């Protein structure tokens, strides 16, 4: 074993002892497609599938963004909180389909309500 392999093994061992590898995304689940043989163009099929998923996620996030715009004229805080809860449920469902690096954070109830109050948006009638 070379000095470089020993160094790498030592870093990996210390990281494992610190728990750096605990609770990684996908931990305990089988690797998708591991039981299928790789045929010609396997990488292209995976790329197309990832792009389809990414496009669907972008469309859903755009729709969520539009729905966020519908919160501002709501007349009461309870209705604002209910609408934010619904949006967060949609984000949670979307995140369940996405890899960890593409997930969207949920909205913070208090931040949205604070903006709604601060600008008096819900009290204005258009």
């Amino acid at each position: 074993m070379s000095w470089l392999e020993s160094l790498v093994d030592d870093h990996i061992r210390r990281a494992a002892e610190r728990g750096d590898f605990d609770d990684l995304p996908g931990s305990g689940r089988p690797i998708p497609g591991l039981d299928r043989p790789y045929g010609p163009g396997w990488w292209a099929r995976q790329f197309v599938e990832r792009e389809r998923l990414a496009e669907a996620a972008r469309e859903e996030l755009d729709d969520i963004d539009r729905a966020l715009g519908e919160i501002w004229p709501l007349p009461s805080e309870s209705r604002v909180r209910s609408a934010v809860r619904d949006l967060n449920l949609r984000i949670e469902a979307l995140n369940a389909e996405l890899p960890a690096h593409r997930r969207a954070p949920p909205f913070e109830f208090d931040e949205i309500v604070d903006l709604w109050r601060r600008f008096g948006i819900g009290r204005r009638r258009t």
Side-chain angles (χ1 to χ4, degrees):
M1 182 184 302
S2 74
W3 66 271
L4 182 59
E5 290 173 313
S6 295
L7 180 66
V8 170
D9 286 341
D10 187 49
H11 280 283
I12 291 171
R13 181 187 50 74
R14 280 191 267 150
E17 288 171 357
R18 284 191 310 264
D20 292 353
F21 303 123
D22 296 347
D23 300 322
L24 291 174
S27 177
R29 287 186 265 152
I31 298 171
L34 191 61
D35 56 342
R36 292 187 308 242
Y38 287 108
W42 64 268
W43 60 270
R45 284 190 298 280
Q46 286 184 350
F47 175 79
V48 168
E49 183 58 32
R50 280 192 310 269
E51 288 305 306
R52 281 187 190 140
L53 182 60
E55 179 60 28
R58 279 190 293 273
E59 290 173 4
E60 178 67 7
L61 286 173
D62 286 345
D63 192 41
I64 289 170
D65 191 42
R66 280 189 292 279
L68 179 63
E70 296 171 5
I71 286 176
W72 308 124
L74 292 175
S76 69
E77 181 178 331
S78 64
R79 296 213 20 217
V80 170
R81 287 185 179 276
S82 177
V84 172
R85 187 177 310 108
D86 293 344
L87 292 178
N88 282 344
L89 289 173
R90 289 175 63 182
I91 291 171
E92 184 180 320
L94 176 65
N95 285 344
E97 302 295 321
L98 295 174
H101 68 280
R102 291 211 173 165
R103 293 184 180 146
F107 293 111
E108 293 292 330
F109 287 100
D110 293 334
E111 287 179 17
I112 299 294
V113 169
D114 185 48
L115 284 171
W116 177 83
R117 276 192 202 128
R118 187 178 323 156
F119 296 110
I121 297 171
R123 291 181 290 280
R124 288 188 211 141
R125 295 287 179 207
T126 56

